[in-house]
Amino acid sequence: MQFSSFGEKLSSGAGILSLMDDLGKAMADGDLIMMGGGNPGHIPAIQEVVRARLQRILDDDQALRKLIGIYDPPRGDRDFRRALAALLRQEYGWDLDEDNICLTNGSQGAFFLLFNLLAGRTRAGGRRKILLPLAPEYIGYADLGIEEDLFVAVQPRIEILDGPYFKYRVDFDRIAITGEIGAICVSRPTNPTGNVLTDDEVAGLAELAAAHEIPLIVDGAYGLPFPGMVYTGASPVWNEHLVLCLSLSKFGLPACRTGIVIGGQELIRALSGMNAVVNLAPSSFGAMLTADLVRSGEILRLGREVIRPLYQRKRDLALAALAESCAGLPFRVHVPEGAFFLWLWFPGLPVTSGAFYERLKARGVLVVSGHWFFPGLGGGWPHTGECLRLTYSQDEAEVCRGMAIIGDEIRRVFQQSGH
Ligand SMILES: Cc1ncc(COP(=O)(O)O)c(C=O)c1O
Protein backbone atom coordinates (compact mmCIF):
# COMPACT_ATOMS: atom_id res chain seq x y z
CA MET A 1 0.00 0.00 0.00
CA GLN A 2 1.28 3.47 -0.79
CA PHE A 3 0.83 6.05 1.93
CA SER A 4 1.15 9.80 1.60
CA SER A 5 4.06 11.48 3.35
CA PHE A 6 1.54 12.89 5.87
CA GLY A 7 0.22 9.35 6.44
CA GLU A 8 3.71 7.93 6.79
CA LYS A 9 4.74 10.61 9.22
CA LEU A 10 1.73 10.24 11.48
CA SER A 11 1.53 6.47 11.41
CA SER A 12 5.19 6.05 12.33
CA GLY A 13 5.18 8.46 15.28
CA ALA A 14 7.97 6.55 16.97
CA GLY A 15 8.04 8.02 20.46
CA ILE A 16 4.40 8.28 21.44
CA LEU A 17 3.52 5.07 19.58
CA SER A 18 6.09 2.96 21.42
CA LEU A 19 5.06 4.56 24.70
CA MET A 20 1.36 3.90 24.20
CA ASP A 21 2.12 0.39 22.89
CA ASP A 22 4.19 -0.44 25.96
CA LEU A 23 1.54 1.04 28.18
CA GLY A 24 -1.22 -0.96 26.54
CA LYS A 25 0.78 -4.20 26.75
CA ALA A 26 1.76 -3.63 30.36
CA MET A 27 -1.82 -2.94 31.36
CA ALA A 28 -2.95 -6.06 29.47
CA ASP A 29 -0.18 -8.40 30.77
CA GLY A 30 -0.45 -7.24 34.33
CA ASP A 31 3.09 -8.59 34.90
CA LEU A 32 5.09 -5.47 34.35
CA ILE A 33 5.49 -2.75 36.94
CA MET A 34 3.99 0.24 35.26
CA MET A 35 6.11 3.33 35.79
CA GLY A 36 5.91 4.39 32.19
CA GLY A 37 2.82 6.10 30.84
CA GLY A 38 0.84 9.15 31.80
CA ASN A 39 -2.21 7.36 33.15
CA PRO A 40 -3.55 9.10 36.22
CA GLY A 41 -4.12 7.09 39.39
CA HIS A 42 -7.49 5.76 40.37
CA ILE A 43 -9.10 8.09 42.90
CA PRO A 44 -12.20 6.61 44.57
CA ALA A 45 -13.47 10.02 45.74
CA ILE A 46 -13.43 11.36 42.18
CA GLN A 47 -15.04 8.19 40.86
CA GLU A 48 -17.87 8.60 43.37
CA VAL A 49 -18.51 12.19 42.31
CA VAL A 50 -18.61 11.10 38.67
CA ARG A 51 -20.80 8.09 39.45
CA ALA A 52 -23.36 10.30 41.21
CA ARG A 53 -23.45 12.73 38.30
CA LEU A 54 -23.75 9.92 35.77
CA GLN A 55 -26.62 8.45 37.78
CA ARG A 56 -28.42 11.80 37.74
CA ILE A 57 -28.01 11.90 33.96
CA LEU A 58 -29.29 8.33 33.59
CA ASP A 59 -32.34 9.22 35.66
CA ASP A 60 -33.19 12.16 33.42
CA ASP A 61 -34.36 11.32 29.89
CA GLN A 62 -33.54 14.73 28.48
CA ALA A 63 -30.05 14.73 29.93
CA LEU A 64 -29.38 11.19 28.73
CA ARG A 65 -30.49 12.13 25.24
CA LYS A 66 -28.10 15.08 25.31
CA LEU A 67 -25.27 12.88 26.58
CA ILE A 68 -25.49 10.25 23.88
CA GLY A 69 -27.82 11.41 21.14
CA ILE A 70 -27.00 14.97 20.09
CA TYR A 71 -23.97 16.47 18.36
CA ASP A 72 -22.56 19.42 20.25
CA PRO A 73 -21.53 22.53 18.31
CA PRO A 74 -17.95 22.34 16.96
CA ARG A 75 -16.61 24.29 19.91
CA GLY A 76 -18.29 21.99 22.43
CA ASP A 77 -21.09 21.95 25.01
CA ARG A 78 -22.31 25.51 25.54
CA ASP A 79 -23.41 25.02 29.18
CA PHE A 80 -19.97 23.76 30.11
CA ARG A 81 -18.17 26.58 28.32
CA ARG A 82 -20.43 29.17 29.94
CA ALA A 83 -19.94 27.68 33.39
CA LEU A 84 -16.18 27.55 32.91
CA ALA A 85 -15.96 31.13 31.65
CA ALA A 86 -18.00 32.29 34.67
CA LEU A 87 -15.76 30.37 37.07
CA LEU A 88 -12.57 31.80 35.55
CA ARG A 89 -13.95 35.35 35.57
CA GLN A 90 -15.01 35.03 39.17
CA GLU A 91 -11.90 33.28 40.52
CA TYR A 92 -9.17 35.00 38.53
CA GLY A 93 -10.80 38.07 36.98
CA TRP A 94 -9.97 36.84 33.45
CA ASP A 95 -11.79 38.85 30.82
CA LEU A 96 -13.43 36.07 28.81
CA ASP A 97 -16.69 34.38 27.92
CA GLU A 98 -17.75 31.11 26.32
CA ASP A 99 -16.52 32.30 22.91
CA ASN A 100 -12.99 32.17 24.29
CA ILE A 101 -13.30 28.43 24.90
CA CYS A 102 -13.22 25.46 22.54
CA LEU A 103 -13.45 21.81 23.60
CA THR A 104 -11.55 19.11 21.75
CA ASN A 105 -11.38 15.33 21.90
CA GLY A 106 -8.53 15.29 24.39
CA SER A 107 -5.94 18.01 24.64
CA GLN A 108 -3.64 15.87 22.48
CA GLY A 109 -6.04 16.59 19.63
CA ALA A 110 -6.01 20.28 20.54
CA PHE A 111 -2.23 20.38 20.15
CA PHE A 112 -2.43 18.74 16.74
CA LEU A 113 -4.85 21.43 15.59
CA LEU A 114 -3.08 24.34 17.29
CA PHE A 115 0.44 23.47 16.15
CA ASN A 116 -0.62 23.00 12.56
CA LEU A 117 -2.74 26.15 12.69
CA LEU A 118 0.14 28.27 13.93
CA ALA A 119 3.11 26.60 12.26
CA GLY A 120 4.01 24.90 8.99
CA ARG A 121 3.98 26.31 5.48
CA THR A 122 2.22 29.67 5.05
CA ARG A 123 0.38 30.89 1.98
CA ALA A 124 3.12 33.49 1.45
CA GLY A 125 5.62 30.65 1.03
CA GLY A 126 7.24 30.93 4.46
CA ARG A 127 7.69 28.19 7.04
CA ARG A 128 6.81 28.68 10.67
CA LYS A 129 7.78 26.64 13.69
CA ILE A 130 6.75 26.08 17.29
CA LEU A 131 9.37 27.15 19.82
CA LEU A 132 9.72 24.95 22.89
CA PRO A 133 11.62 27.29 25.22
CA LEU A 134 12.67 24.61 27.65
CA ALA A 135 13.71 21.11 26.59
CA PRO A 136 13.00 18.42 27.80
CA GLU A 137 9.37 18.74 26.83
CA TYR A 138 6.32 16.48 26.37
CA ILE A 139 6.98 13.51 24.04
CA GLY A 140 3.44 13.75 22.68
CA TYR A 141 4.22 16.97 20.78
CA ALA A 142 7.07 15.43 18.80
CA ASP A 143 5.16 13.85 15.93
CA LEU A 144 2.21 16.22 15.70
CA GLY A 145 3.49 18.35 12.83
CA ILE A 146 2.08 17.76 9.37
CA GLU A 147 5.37 19.28 8.19
CA GLU A 148 8.76 17.88 9.15
CA ASP A 149 10.84 19.78 11.72
CA LEU A 150 7.96 21.68 13.25
CA PHE A 151 9.80 22.34 16.51
CA VAL A 152 12.78 24.32 17.67
CA ALA A 153 13.73 23.66 21.27
CA VAL A 154 16.02 25.53 23.61
CA GLN A 155 18.51 23.97 26.00
CA PRO A 156 17.80 25.08 29.57
CA ARG A 157 20.12 26.25 32.31
CA ILE A 158 20.68 23.55 34.91
CA GLU A 159 20.62 24.71 38.47
CA ILE A 160 22.10 22.25 40.98
CA LEU A 161 20.10 22.33 44.20
CA ASP A 162 20.66 20.89 47.67
CA GLY A 163 20.61 17.13 48.16
CA PRO A 164 20.02 15.09 45.03
CA TYR A 165 17.95 17.79 43.31
CA PHE A 166 18.40 19.95 40.24
CA LYS A 167 16.09 22.27 38.32
CA TYR A 168 15.86 23.36 34.69
CA ARG A 169 15.47 27.09 34.17
CA VAL A 170 14.41 28.84 30.99
CA ASP A 171 17.61 30.26 29.49
CA PHE A 172 16.32 33.53 28.06
CA ASP A 173 19.79 34.31 26.63
CA ARG A 174 19.49 31.31 24.34
CA ILE A 175 15.98 32.10 23.04
CA ALA A 176 15.86 33.72 19.62
CA ILE A 177 12.40 34.58 18.32
CA THR A 178 13.13 34.78 14.63
CA GLY A 179 10.52 35.51 11.95
CA GLU A 180 9.97 31.77 11.53
CA ILE A 181 8.53 31.22 15.02
CA GLY A 182 4.72 30.96 14.94
CA ALA A 183 4.09 30.24 18.64
CA ILE A 184 5.83 29.38 21.89
CA CYS A 185 4.65 26.35 23.85
CA VAL A 186 5.43 25.04 27.35
CA SER A 187 3.86 22.41 29.55
CA ARG A 188 3.38 23.62 33.13
CA PRO A 189 3.86 21.41 35.15
CA THR A 190 6.24 19.93 32.62
CA ASN A 191 5.89 16.39 31.45
CA PRO A 192 8.47 14.69 31.80
CA THR A 193 10.24 16.53 34.61
CA GLY A 194 7.60 17.71 37.08
CA ASN A 195 9.13 21.18 36.69
CA VAL A 196 6.78 24.11 37.26
CA LEU A 197 7.92 27.22 35.43
CA THR A 198 7.93 30.13 37.85
CA ASP A 199 5.45 32.98 37.45
CA ASP A 200 8.42 35.15 36.39
CA GLU A 201 9.49 32.67 33.71
CA VAL A 202 5.94 32.55 32.34
CA ALA A 203 5.71 36.36 32.44
CA GLY A 204 9.04 36.58 30.58
CA LEU A 205 7.84 34.18 27.88
CA ALA A 206 4.49 35.99 27.62
CA GLU A 207 6.34 39.28 27.15
CA LEU A 208 8.52 37.79 24.41
CA ALA A 209 5.47 36.33 22.69
CA ALA A 210 3.54 39.61 22.88
CA ALA A 211 6.53 41.59 21.57
CA HIS A 212 6.61 39.32 18.51
CA GLU A 213 2.82 39.12 18.17
CA ILE A 214 2.72 35.38 18.50
CA PRO A 215 0.77 33.33 21.06
CA LEU A 216 2.26 31.66 24.11
CA ILE A 217 0.61 28.26 24.56
CA VAL A 218 0.62 27.00 28.14
CA ASP A 219 -0.20 23.31 28.43
CA GLY A 220 -1.84 22.97 31.83
CA ALA A 221 -2.86 19.30 31.48
CA TYR A 222 -1.63 18.62 35.04
CA GLY A 223 -1.83 22.09 36.35
CA LEU A 224 -3.71 25.23 36.99
CA PRO A 225 -6.49 25.93 37.63
CA PHE A 226 -7.40 22.22 37.50
CA PRO A 227 -6.59 19.37 38.14
CA GLY A 228 -4.13 21.32 40.30
CA MET A 229 -1.17 18.93 40.63
CA VAL A 230 1.18 21.73 41.67
CA TYR A 231 3.17 21.40 44.89
CA THR A 232 4.90 24.76 44.82
CA GLY A 233 3.78 28.38 44.63
CA ALA A 234 2.54 29.15 41.11
CA SER A 235 -0.38 31.14 39.72
CA PRO A 236 -2.72 30.25 36.88
CA VAL A 237 -2.27 32.68 33.99
CA TRP A 238 -4.30 33.71 30.98
CA ASN A 239 -4.79 36.76 28.83
CA GLU A 240 -5.93 37.26 25.26
CA HIS A 241 -2.45 36.59 23.83
CA LEU A 242 -2.01 33.44 25.81
CA VAL A 243 -3.57 30.09 24.92
CA LEU A 244 -4.24 27.93 27.95
CA CYS A 245 -4.86 24.26 27.21
CA LEU A 246 -6.49 22.19 29.93
CA SER A 247 -7.74 18.63 30.08
CA LEU A 248 -10.09 16.52 32.16
CA SER A 249 -7.77 13.51 31.81
CA LYS A 250 -5.59 13.99 34.85
CA PHE A 251 -8.63 15.01 36.88
CA GLY A 252 -9.50 11.33 36.47
CA LEU A 253 -11.36 11.15 33.17
CA PRO A 254 -8.76 10.17 30.53
CA ALA A 255 -11.25 7.92 28.74
CA CYS A 256 -13.69 10.80 28.22
CA ARG A 257 -11.17 12.56 25.94
CA THR A 258 -11.91 16.15 26.87
CA GLY A 259 -9.47 18.91 26.04
CA ILE A 260 -10.22 22.56 26.79
CA VAL A 261 -8.59 25.42 24.89
CA ILE A 262 -8.92 28.95 26.25
CA GLY A 263 -7.73 31.65 23.89
CA GLY A 264 -8.50 34.84 22.00
CA GLN A 265 -11.76 34.71 20.06
CA GLU A 266 -10.14 34.80 16.62
CA LEU A 267 -8.04 31.78 17.46
CA ILE A 268 -10.97 29.94 19.04
CA ARG A 269 -13.06 30.58 15.91
CA ALA A 270 -10.32 29.07 13.74
CA LEU A 271 -9.88 26.12 16.07
CA SER A 272 -13.58 25.31 16.17
CA GLY A 273 -13.63 25.43 12.35
CA MET A 274 -10.84 22.85 12.31
CA ASN A 275 -12.70 20.82 14.93
CA ALA A 276 -15.75 20.76 12.66
CA VAL A 277 -13.68 19.48 9.74
CA VAL A 278 -11.81 16.81 11.66
CA ASN A 279 -14.38 15.72 14.26
CA LEU A 280 -17.72 17.38 13.42
CA ALA A 281 -18.11 17.89 17.16
CA PRO A 282 -16.16 17.10 20.30
CA SER A 283 -17.48 14.45 22.66
CA SER A 284 -20.12 15.65 25.13
CA PHE A 285 -19.18 13.18 27.81
CA GLY A 286 -16.55 14.96 29.90
CA ALA A 287 -18.32 18.29 29.61
CA MET A 288 -21.65 16.87 30.77
CA LEU A 289 -20.09 14.87 33.60
CA THR A 290 -18.30 17.89 35.02
CA ALA A 291 -20.48 20.90 34.16
CA ASP A 292 -22.00 20.95 37.67
CA LEU A 293 -18.55 20.72 39.26
CA VAL A 294 -17.43 23.67 37.20
CA ARG A 295 -20.58 25.68 37.90
CA SER A 296 -20.18 25.25 41.66
CA GLY A 297 -16.40 25.63 41.68
CA GLU A 298 -16.21 22.14 43.17
CA ILE A 299 -13.69 21.17 40.48
CA LEU A 300 -11.16 23.55 42.07
CA ARG A 301 -11.87 22.29 45.59
CA LEU A 302 -11.46 18.67 44.51
CA GLY A 303 -8.12 19.60 42.94
CA ARG A 304 -6.94 21.34 46.11
CA GLU A 305 -8.32 18.93 48.69
CA VAL A 306 -8.30 15.53 46.98
CA ILE A 307 -6.08 15.36 43.90
CA ARG A 308 -3.12 17.48 44.97
CA PRO A 309 -2.63 15.93 48.43
CA LEU A 310 -2.97 12.44 47.00
CA TYR A 311 -0.27 12.90 44.38
CA GLN A 312 1.91 14.86 46.76
CA ARG A 313 1.87 11.90 49.13
CA LYS A 314 2.66 9.52 46.26
CA ARG A 315 5.51 11.79 45.26
CA ASP A 316 6.97 11.79 48.76
CA LEU A 317 6.77 8.00 48.94
CA ALA A 318 8.44 7.68 45.55
CA LEU A 319 11.22 10.06 46.61
CA ALA A 320 11.82 8.10 49.82
CA ALA A 321 11.98 4.83 47.84
CA LEU A 322 14.36 6.44 45.35
CA ALA A 323 16.66 7.74 48.10
CA GLU A 324 16.84 4.24 49.54
CA SER A 325 17.32 2.35 46.27
CA CYS A 326 19.87 4.72 44.75
CA ALA A 327 21.81 5.53 47.93
CA GLY A 328 25.48 6.12 47.12
CA LEU A 329 24.91 6.19 43.35
CA PRO A 330 25.73 9.17 41.14
CA PHE A 331 22.20 10.38 40.41
CA ARG A 332 20.15 13.54 40.52
CA VAL A 333 16.42 14.08 40.37
CA HIS A 334 14.59 17.09 39.01
CA VAL A 335 12.83 18.87 41.85
CA PRO A 336 9.31 17.41 41.53
CA GLU A 337 7.10 20.48 41.76
CA GLY A 338 4.06 19.15 39.90
CA ALA A 339 2.40 16.36 37.87
CA PHE A 340 3.27 12.75 38.78
CA PHE A 341 6.72 12.12 37.33
CA LEU A 342 10.25 11.78 38.63
CA TRP A 343 12.95 12.74 36.15
CA LEU A 344 16.20 11.03 37.02
CA TRP A 345 19.57 12.15 35.74
CA PHE A 346 22.56 9.81 35.91
CA PRO A 347 25.54 11.99 34.93
CA GLY A 348 28.06 9.85 33.02
CA LEU A 349 25.61 6.93 32.55
CA PRO A 350 27.80 4.27 30.87
CA VAL A 351 24.98 2.97 28.59
CA THR A 352 22.41 4.95 26.62
CA SER A 353 19.15 5.70 28.41
CA GLY A 354 17.45 3.63 25.67
CA ALA A 355 19.60 0.60 26.52
CA PHE A 356 18.94 1.14 30.21
CA TYR A 357 15.19 1.28 29.51
CA GLU A 358 15.47 -2.12 27.74
CA ARG A 359 17.37 -3.62 30.69
CA LEU A 360 14.67 -2.44 33.08
CA LYS A 361 11.92 -3.77 30.83
CA ALA A 362 13.66 -7.17 30.81
CA ARG A 363 13.47 -7.08 34.60
CA GLY A 364 9.76 -6.22 34.51
CA VAL A 365 9.86 -2.48 35.12
CA LEU A 366 8.49 -0.12 32.53
CA VAL A 367 9.81 3.45 32.48
CA VAL A 368 10.41 5.90 29.61
CA SER A 369 13.86 6.62 28.25
CA GLY A 370 14.62 10.33 28.54
CA HIS A 371 15.97 10.71 25.01
CA TRP A 372 12.43 10.93 23.60
CA PHE A 373 11.74 14.21 25.34
CA PHE A 374 13.97 16.54 23.34
CA PRO A 375 11.99 17.20 20.14
CA GLY A 376 13.45 20.10 18.19
CA LEU A 377 16.79 20.15 20.03
CA GLY A 378 19.88 19.58 17.91
CA GLY A 379 22.26 16.76 18.88
CA GLY A 380 25.43 17.09 20.88
CA TRP A 381 24.14 17.44 24.43
CA PRO A 382 25.10 14.23 26.31
CA HIS A 383 22.52 15.04 28.98
CA THR A 384 19.74 13.93 26.60
CA GLY A 385 21.00 10.33 26.88
CA GLU A 386 21.42 10.29 30.66
CA CYS A 387 17.85 10.68 31.90
CA LEU A 388 14.83 8.54 32.68
CA ARG A 389 11.21 9.38 33.39
CA LEU A 390 9.30 7.47 36.05
CA THR A 391 5.59 7.74 36.76
CA TYR A 392 4.46 7.43 40.38
CA SER A 393 0.70 7.69 39.80
CA GLN A 394 0.01 3.94 40.07
CA ASP A 395 -0.01 1.49 42.97
CA GLU A 396 2.39 2.62 45.71
CA ALA A 397 3.73 -0.82 46.65
CA GLU A 398 4.48 -1.46 42.96
CA VAL A 399 6.26 1.86 42.65
CA CYS A 400 8.46 0.96 45.64
CA ARG A 401 9.19 -2.45 44.14
CA GLY A 402 10.02 -0.86 40.80
CA MET A 403 12.27 1.68 42.45
CA ALA A 404 14.28 -1.08 44.18
CA ILE A 405 14.83 -2.81 40.81
CA ILE A 406 15.85 0.47 39.18
CA GLY A 407 18.42 1.10 41.94
CA ASP A 408 19.75 -2.45 41.62
CA GLU A 409 20.02 -2.26 37.83
CA ILE A 410 21.73 1.11 37.80
CA ARG A 411 24.22 -0.21 40.35
CA ARG A 412 24.94 -3.15 37.99
CA VAL A 413 25.37 -0.82 35.04
CA PHE A 414 27.93 1.29 36.85
CA GLN A 415 29.73 -1.77 38.25
CA GLN A 416 29.93 -3.47 34.85
CA SER A 417 31.55 -0.37 33.41
CA GLY A 418 34.16 -0.36 36.16
CA HIS A 419 32.83 2.66 38.10
C1 LIG B 1 1.83 17.49 29.08
C2 LIG B 1 0.67 16.81 28.45
N1 LIG B 1 -0.11 17.51 27.63
C3 LIG B 1 -1.18 16.95 27.02
C4 LIG B 1 -1.48 15.62 27.21
C5 LIG B 1 -2.65 15.04 26.48
O1 LIG B 1 -3.64 14.61 27.34
P1 LIG B 1 -5.15 14.36 26.89
O2 LIG B 1 -5.17 14.22 25.39
O3 LIG B 1 -5.54 13.12 27.59
O4 LIG B 1 -5.93 15.58 27.32
C6 LIG B 1 -0.70 14.84 28.06
C7 LIG B 1 -1.00 13.41 28.28
O5 LIG B 1 -0.39 12.69 29.00
C8 LIG B 1 0.41 15.44 28.69
O6 LIG B 1 1.22 14.74 29.50
Side-chain angles (χ1 to χ4, degrees):
M1 210 181 301
Q2 273 238 309
F3 291 146
S4 68
S5 49
F6 167 69
E8 272 175 15
K9 182 165 184 306
L10 250 75
S11 58
S12 66
I16 197 74
L17 203 62
S18 82
L19 180 87
M20 293 311 278
D21 261 4
D22 271 354
L23 191 143
K25 280 186 204 126
M27 291 298 199
D29 288 1
D31 283 348
L32 287 172
I33 297 176
M34 187 57 192
M35 295 170 77
N39 216 91
H42 169 65
I43 308 180
I46 300 290
Q47 181 168 318
E48 279 321 302
V49 170
V50 172
R51 187 201 303 280
R53 170 68 183 143
L54 193 53
Q55 194 59 57
R56 282 201 304 283
I57 294 175
L58 293 176
D59 294 341
D60 176 341
D61 280 351
Q62 287 277 81
L64 180 61
R65 178 151 175 260
K66 182 164 167 353
L67 181 74
I68 59 169
I70 297 176
Y71 285 123
D72 275 336
R75 53 183 70 184
D77 184 335
R78 192 150 191 225
D79 290 346
F80 178 89
R81 289 186 293 114
R82 271 197 180 145
L84 180 58
L87 180 71
L88 299 175
R89 275 197 308 269
Q90 182 193 316
E91 286 288 324
Y92 309 112
W94 296 348
D95 180 18
L96 46 70
D97 64 27
E98 72 263 28
D99 291 334
N100 293 93
I101 299 174
C102 180
L103 305 188
T104 56
N105 288 329
S107 63
Q108 187 70 18
F111 289 107
F112 175 70
L113 299 178
L114 280 172
F115 289 164
N116 290 297
L117 175 67
L118 297 167
R121 234 167 262 283
T122 63
R123 198 183 291 167
R127 280 199 63 187
R128 307 202 93 190
K129 297 190 176 202
I130 303 290
L131 180 93
L132 307 175
L134 194 161
E137 186 49 278
Y138 174 45
I139 186 177
Y141 300 153
D143 298 305
L144 285 180
I146 292 175
E147 303 269 338
E148 292 295 336
D149 297 328
L150 203 74
F151 300 98
V152 202
V154 182
Q155 190 175 319
R157 260 190 320 110
I158 292 185
E159 198 171 293
I160 301 294
L161 304 174
D162 286 347
Y165 297 110
F166 75 105
K167 182 171 166 72
Y168 294 124
R169 298 265 182 202
V170 176
D171 190 343
F172 283 94
D173 292 340
R174 279 203 167 111
I175 295 180
I177 312 277
T178 60
E180 71 165 4
I181 303 300
I184 304 176
C185 178
V186 279
S187 58
R188 183 189 196 233
T190 308
N191 175 357
T193 55
N195 193 7
V196 175
L197 266 68
T198 62
D199 288 355
D200 283 349
E201 283 175 315
V202 175
L205 292 174
E207 227 169 82
L208 267 180
H212 293 83
E213 296 181 4
I214 55 175
L216 168 64
I217 303 171
V218 176
D219 176 354
Y222 299 83
L224 303 168
F226 56 81
M229 292 176 201
V230 172
Y231 322 120
T232 180
S235 323
V237 277
W238 183 81
N239 62 52
E240 246 216 294
H241 308 289
L242 205 139
V243 183
L244 178 60
C245 295
L246 300 175
S247 167
L248 293 180
S249 295
K250 315 302 171 179
F251 178 75
L253 300 173
C256 288
R257 311 305 304 127
T258 307
I260 303 164
V261 182
I262 307 168
Q265 295 196 358
E266 184 190 352
L267 181 117
I268 294 298
R269 246 191 318 278
L271 194 65
S272 58
M274 295 172 92
N275 228 0
V277 171
V278 179
N279 297 304
L280 291 188
S283 159
S284 317
F285 234 86
M288 274 197 76
L289 286 180
T290 55
D292 285 354
L293 301 178
V294 170
R295 203 169 290 116
S296 62
E298 186 70 357
I299 195 160
L300 301 180
R301 188 193 68 78
L302 287 166
R304 265 193 317 266
E305 295 179 14
V306 176
I307 295 175
R308 183 175 64 194
L310 179 124
Y311 284 105
Q312 202 163 353
R313 195 173 54 81
K314 282 178 177 288
R315 175 198 71 168
D316 293 344
L317 279 173
L319 283 173
L322 175 73
E324 191 177 326
S325 70
C326 289
L329 289 169
F331 82 98
R332 293 208 160 264
V333 57
H334 194 284
V335 57
E337 299 169 319
F340 45 61
F341 305 110
L342 293 185
W343 177 254
L344 307 189
W345 173 27
F346 300 102
L349 184 68
V351 297
T352 64
S353 56
F356 188 53
Y357 154 83
E358 292 293 346
R359 289 174 66 141
L360 287 176
K361 192 164 148 185
R363 292 192 63 186
V365 182
L366 209 53
V367 298
V368 185
S369 167
H371 76 277
W372 293 112
F373 295 91
F374 296 86
L377 194 71
W381 188 27
H383 184 79
T384 62
E386 297 175 338
C387 301
L388 218 58
R389 189 195 76 177
L390 317 180
T391 305
Y392 57 77
S393 61
Q394 302 300 306
D395 181 76
E396 287 159 16
E398 290 278 284
V399 169
C400 288
R401 219 155 56 80
M403 210 64 97
I405 296 172
I406 293 167
D408 188 55
E409 194 59 31
I410 197 78
R411 200 161 267 118
R412 284 189 200 177
V413 167
F414 277 110
Q415 271 163 6
Q416 283 163 2
S417 76
H419 278 64

